Amino acid sequence: MVKYFLGFNELRSSWDQVFAAFWQRYPNPYSKHVLTEDILYREVTSDHKMLTRRLLTKTNHLPRWAERLFPANVVHAVYILEDSIIDIHKKTLTTYTWNINHSSVMSVEERCVYCENPEDKNWTEIRREAWVSSKVFGFSRPIQEFGLARFKSNVTKALKGYEYTLAKMQGDTPARTLVETAKEATEKAKETALAAKEKARDLASKAATKKQQYV
């Protein structure tokens, strides 16, 4: 049995802008799970379509219940192939992605089509399909459910990352992310704690010196 997903999203930018941003998405604050991206192949066909294959490396953290079932090396990274077909004349960008390792544990295949919104050419419509499967006997159903839930979460991150990249390209200042705000607050808290520790150590040292003077 395979879990199937179908979803539609919109980006409030023209197809030309989305097409340009597609190659500049990484890194962004919402894609820290994407470690590397490499172009393996590129060709422009006689009918003026551009074909590209990329290799992406992403982190692949498993839930605790799954860590007990699978070797530690499963959680390190997942390698993903991405094929894209760009048709400038029809203004369509079609992508196919699938993982090439750990596929017996869980396989996720995705197909996306980016095209002009028929009602507003300044917006881009995204049709997204995904198929999640597992060959692990006795655990395929929970693994597929977990994979589908994670896929949906990653779709949200991908859209936010796309919007972030588009805002930067258009000269807007992207809104600060919660992650950035939390990270800055954590760093300030560490600095405050370190300063307090140093001050306490200094006061203790001075107190010890005074004590020796009175002895």
Side-chain angles (χ1 to χ4, degrees), residues 115-158:
C115 61
E116 279 188 341
N117 185 308
E119 298 178 359
D120 188 341
K121 291 186 177 182
N122 292 320
W123 287 21
T124 300
E125 185 176 277
I126 307 172
R127 174 189 168 93
R128 191 185 311 269
E129 294 178 278
W131 297 264
V132 182
S133 61
S134 174
K135 297 179 181 179
V136 179
F137 180 76
F139 293 94
S140 61
R141 185 171 180 178
I143 291 174
Q144 289 171 3
E145 290 177 349
F146 162 75
L148 184 59
R150 171 169 285 184
F151 176 82
K152 291 178 180 179
S153 174
N154 287 341
V155 167
T156 302
K157 293 178 182 177

Coordinates of all heavy atoms in Angstrom, one line a residue, residues 115-158:
C115 N 3.2 26.6 -12.6 CA 2.7 27.3 -13.8 C 2.0 28.6 -13.5 O 1.7 28.8 -12.3 CB 1.7 26.4 -14.6 SG 0.2 25.9 -13.7
E116 N 1.7 29.4 -14.5 CA 1.0 30.7 -14.2 C -0.4 30.4 -13.7 O -1.1 29.5 -14.2 CB 0.9 31.5 -15.5 CG 2.2 32.3 -15.8 CD 2.0 33.2 -17.0 OE1 1.0 33.0 -17.8 OE2 2.8 34.1 -17.2
N117 N -0.8 31.2 -12.7 CA -2.1 31.2 -12.2 C -3.0 31.7 -13.4 O -2.9 32.8 -13.9 CB -2.3 32.0 -11.0 CG -3.7 31.9 -10.4 OD1 -4.7 32.1 -11.0 ND2 -3.7 31.7 -9.1
P118 N -4.0 30.9 -13.8 CA -4.9 31.3 -14.9 C -5.7 32.5 -14.7 O -6.1 33.2 -15.6 CB -5.8 30.0 -15.1 CG -5.7 29.3 -13.8 CD -4.4 29.5 -13.3
E119 N -5.9 32.8 -13.4 CA -6.7 34.0 -13.0 C -5.9 35.2 -12.8 O -6.4 36.4 -12.8 CB -7.6 33.7 -11.8 CG -8.6 32.5 -12.0 CD -9.4 32.2 -10.8 OE1 -9.2 32.9 -9.8 OE2 -10.3 31.3 -10.9
D120 N -4.6 35.0 -12.5 CA -3.7 36.2 -12.2 C -2.3 35.8 -12.6 O -1.7 35.0 -11.9 CB -3.8 36.5 -10.7 CG -3.1 37.8 -10.4 OD1 -2.2 38.3 -11.2 OD2 -3.3 38.4 -9.3
K121 N -1.8 36.4 -13.7 CA -0.5 36.0 -14.2 C 0.6 36.5 -13.3 O 1.8 36.1 -13.6 CB -0.4 36.6 -15.6 CG -1.2 35.9 -16.7 CD -1.0 36.4 -18.1 CE -1.8 35.6 -19.1 NZ -1.5 36.1 -20.5
N122 N 0.3 37.3 -12.3 CA 1.4 37.8 -11.4 C 1.6 36.8 -10.3 O 2.4 37.0 -9.4 CB 1.0 39.1 -10.8 CG 1.0 40.2 -11.9 OD1 1.9 40.3 -12.7 ND2 0.1 41.1 -11.8
W123 N 0.8 35.7 -10.3 CA 0.9 34.7 -9.3 C 1.3 33.4 -10.0 O 1.0 33.2 -11.1 CB -0.4 34.5 -8.5 CG -0.8 35.6 -7.5 CD1 -0.3 36.8 -7.5 CD2 -1.7 35.5 -6.5 NE1 -0.8 37.6 -6.5 CE2 -1.7 36.8 -5.8 CE3 -2.5 34.5 -5.9 CZ2 -2.5 37.0 -4.7 CZ3 -3.3 34.7 -4.8 CH2 -3.3 36.0 -4.2
T124 N 1.9 32.5 -9.2 CA 2.3 31.1 -9.7 C 1.6 30.0 -8.9 O 1.5 30.1 -7.7 CB 3.8 31.0 -9.6 OG1 4.4 32.0 -10.3 CG2 4.2 29.6 -10.1
E125 N 1.0 29.1 -9.7 CA 0.3 28.0 -9.0 C 1.2 26.8 -9.0 O 2.0 26.5 -9.9 CB -1.0 27.7 -9.9 CG -1.9 26.6 -9.3 CD -3.1 26.4 -10.1 OE1 -4.1 27.2 -9.9 OE2 -3.1 25.5 -10.9
I126 N 1.1 26.0 -7.9 CA 1.9 24.8 -7.7 C 1.0 23.6 -7.5 O 0.2 23.6 -6.6 CB 2.9 24.9 -6.5 CG1 3.7 26.2 -6.6 CG2 3.8 23.7 -6.4 CD1 4.5 26.4 -5.3
R127 N 1.1 22.6 -8.3 CA 0.4 21.3 -8.1 C 1.4 20.3 -7.6 O 2.4 20.1 -8.3 CB -0.3 20.9 -9.4 CG -0.9 19.5 -9.3 CD -1.3 18.9 -10.6 NE -1.7 17.5 -10.6 CZ -2.9 17.0 -10.4 NH1 -3.9 17.9 -10.2 NH2 -3.1 15.7 -10.3
R128 N 1.2 19.7 -6.5 CA 2.2 18.9 -5.8 C 1.6 17.5 -5.6 O 0.5 17.4 -4.9 CB 2.7 19.5 -4.5 CG 3.9 18.8 -3.9 CD 4.2 19.5 -2.6 NE 4.2 20.9 -2.6 CZ 5.4 21.6 -2.9 NH1 6.5 21.0 -3.1 NH2 5.3 22.9 -2.9
E129 N 2.3 16.5 -6.0 CA 1.8 15.1 -5.7 C 3.0 14.4 -5.1 O 4.2 14.6 -5.3 CB 1.5 14.3 -7.0 CG 0.3 14.9 -7.7 CD 0.0 14.1 -9.0 OE1 0.6 14.4 -10.0 OE2 -0.8 13.2 -9.0
A130 N 2.7 13.4 -4.2 CA 3.7 12.6 -3.5 C 3.2 11.2 -3.3 O 2.0 11.0 -3.0 CB 4.1 13.3 -2.2
W131 N 4.1 10.3 -3.3 CA 3.9 8.9 -3.0 C 4.8 8.4 -2.0 O 6.1 8.5 -2.2 CB 4.0 8.0 -4.3 CG 3.0 8.4 -5.4 CD1 1.8 7.8 -5.6 CD2 3.2 9.4 -6.3 NE1 1.2 8.4 -6.7 CE2 2.0 9.4 -7.2 CE3 4.2 10.4 -6.6 CZ2 1.8 10.3 -8.2 CZ3 4.0 11.3 -7.6 CH2 2.8 11.2 -8.4
V132 N 4.3 7.9 -0.8 CA 5.2 7.4 0.3 C 5.0 5.9 0.4 O 3.8 5.5 0.6 CB 4.9 8.2 1.6 CG1 5.8 7.7 2.7 CG2 5.0 9.7 1.4
S133 N 6.1 5.2 0.4 CA 5.9 3.7 0.6 C 7.1 3.2 1.5 O 8.1 3.8 1.7 CB 6.0 3.0 -0.8 OG 7.2 3.3 -1.4
S134 N 6.9 1.9 2.0 CA 7.9 1.3 2.8 C 7.8 -0.2 2.6 O 6.7 -0.8 2.4 CB 7.6 1.6 4.3 OG 8.5 0.9 5.1
K135 N 9.0 -0.9 2.6 CA 9.1 -2.3 2.5 C 9.4 -3.0 3.8 O 9.7 -4.2 3.7 CB 10.1 -2.6 1.4 CG 9.8 -2.1 0.0 CD 10.9 -2.4 -1.0 CE 10.6 -1.9 -2.4 NZ 11.7 -2.2 -3.3
V136 N 9.3 -2.3 4.9 CA 9.6 -2.9 6.2 C 8.4 -3.8 6.6 O 7.4 -3.2 7.0 CB 10.0 -1.9 7.2 CG1 10.3 -2.5 8.6 CG2 11.2 -1.1 6.7
F137 N 8.6 -5.1 6.7 CA 7.5 -6.0 7.0 C 7.1 -5.7 8.5 O 7.8 -5.6 9.4 CB 8.0 -7.4 6.9 CG 6.9 -8.4 7.3 CD1 5.9 -8.7 6.4 CD2 6.9 -9.1 8.5 CE1 4.9 -9.6 6.7 CE2 5.9 -10.0 8.8 CZ 4.9 -10.2 7.9
G138 N 5.8 -5.5 8.6 CA 5.2 -5.3 9.9 C 5.1 -3.9 10.4 O 4.4 -3.6 11.4
F139 N 5.9 -3.0 9.8 CA 6.0 -1.6 10.2 C 5.7 -0.6 9.1 O 5.9 0.6 9.2 CB 7.4 -1.3 10.8 CG 7.6 -2.0 12.1 CD1 8.3 -3.2 12.1 CD2 7.2 -1.5 13.3 CE1 8.5 -3.9 13.3 CE2 7.4 -2.1 14.5 CZ 8.1 -3.4 14.5
S140 N 5.3 -1.2 7.9 CA 5.2 -0.3 6.7 C 4.1 0.8 7.0 O 4.3 2.0 6.6 CB 4.8 -1.1 5.5 OG 3.6 -1.8 5.7
R141 N 3.0 0.5 7.6 CA 2.0 1.5 7.8 C 2.4 2.6 8.7 O 2.3 3.8 8.3 CB 0.7 0.8 8.4 CG -0.4 1.8 8.5 CD -1.7 1.0 8.9 NE -2.8 1.9 9.0 CZ -4.1 1.5 9.3 NH1 -4.3 0.3 9.4 NH2 -5.0 2.4 9.4
P142 N 3.0 2.4 9.9 CA 3.4 3.6 10.7 C 4.5 4.4 10.0 O 4.6 5.6 10.2 CB 3.9 2.9 12.0 CG 4.1 1.5 11.7 CD 3.1 1.1 10.7
I143 N 5.4 3.7 9.3 CA 6.5 4.4 8.6 C 5.9 5.3 7.5 O 6.4 6.4 7.4 CB 7.5 3.4 8.0 CG1 8.3 2.7 9.1 CG2 8.5 4.1 7.1 CD1 9.2 1.6 8.7
Q144 N 4.9 4.8 6.8 CA 4.3 5.6 5.7 C 3.6 6.8 6.3 O 3.6 7.9 5.8 CB 3.4 4.7 4.9 CG 4.0 3.7 4.0 CD 3.1 2.7 3.4 OE1 1.9 2.8 3.6 NE2 3.6 1.7 2.7
E145 N 2.9 6.6 7.4 CA 2.2 7.7 8.1 C 3.1 8.7 8.6 O 2.9 9.9 8.4 CB 1.3 7.1 9.2 CG 0.1 6.3 8.7 CD -0.7 5.7 9.9 OE1 -0.2 5.8 11.0 OE2 -1.8 5.2 9.6
F146 N 4.3 8.3 9.1 CA 5.3 9.2 9.6 C 5.9 10.0 8.4 O 6.1 11.2 8.5 CB 6.4 8.5 10.3 CG 7.7 9.2 10.5 CD1 7.8 10.3 11.4 CD2 8.8 8.9 9.6 CE1 9.0 11.0 11.5 CE2 9.9 9.7 9.7 CZ 10.0 10.7 10.7
G147 N 6.2 9.2 7.3 CA 6.7 9.9 6.1 C 5.8 10.9 5.5 O 6.3 12.0 5.1
L148 N 4.5 10.6 5.5 CA 3.6 11.6 4.9 C 3.4 12.8 5.8 O 3.4 13.9 5.3 CB 2.2 10.9 4.8 CG 1.1 11.7 4.1 CD1 1.5 12.1 2.7 CD2 -0.2 11.0 4.1
A149 N 3.4 12.6 7.1 CA 3.4 13.8 8.0 C 4.6 14.6 7.9 O 4.5 15.9 7.9 CB 3.2 13.3 9.5
R150 N 5.8 14.0 7.8 CA 7.0 14.8 7.6 C 7.0 15.5 6.3 O 7.5 16.6 6.2 CB 8.2 13.9 7.7 CG 9.5 14.6 7.3 CD 10.8 13.8 7.7 NE 11.0 13.8 9.1 CZ 12.1 13.3 9.7 NH1 13.0 12.6 9.0 NH2 12.3 13.3 11.0
F151 N 6.5 14.8 5.2 CA 6.5 15.5 3.9 C 5.6 16.7 4.0 O 6.0 17.8 3.4 CB 5.9 14.5 2.9 CG 5.7 15.1 1.5 CD1 6.8 15.2 0.7 CD2 4.5 15.6 1.1 CE1 6.6 15.7 -0.6 CE2 4.3 16.1 -0.1 CZ 5.4 16.2 -1.0
K152 N 4.5 16.7 4.6 CA 3.6 17.8 4.7 C 4.3 19.0 5.4 O 4.1 20.1 5.1 CB 2.3 17.4 5.4 CG 1.4 16.5 4.6 CD 0.1 16.2 5.4 CE -0.8 15.2 4.6 NZ -2.0 14.9 5.3
S153 N 5.0 18.6 6.5 CA 5.7 19.6 7.3 C 6.8 20.3 6.4 O 7.0 21.5 6.4 CB 6.4 19.0 8.5 OG 7.2 19.9 9.2
N154 N 7.5 19.4 5.6 CA 8.6 20.0 4.7 C 8.0 20.8 3.6 O 8.7 21.8 3.1 CB 9.4 18.8 4.1 CG 10.3 18.2 5.2 OD1 10.6 18.8 6.2 ND2 10.7 16.9 4.9
V155 N 6.8 20.6 3.2 CA 6.1 21.4 2.1 C 5.9 22.8 2.7 O 6.2 23.8 2.0 CB 4.8 20.8 1.7 CG1 4.0 21.8 0.9 CG2 5.0 19.5 0.9
T156 N 5.5 22.9 3.9 CA 5.3 24.2 4.6 C 6.6 25.0 4.6 O 6.7 26.2 4.3 CB 4.7 24.0 6.0 OG1 3.5 23.4 5.9 CG2 4.5 25.4 6.6
K157 N 7.7 24.3 5.0 CA 9.0 24.9 5.1 C 9.5 25.3 3.7 O 10.1 26.4 3.6 CB 10.0 23.9 5.7 CG 9.8 23.6 7.2 CD 10.8 22.6 7.7 CE 10.5 22.2 9.1 NZ 11.5 21.2 9.6
A158 N 9.2 24.5 2.7 CA 9.7 24.8 1.4 C 9.0 26.0 0.8 O 9.7 26.9 0.2 CB 9.4 23.6 0.4

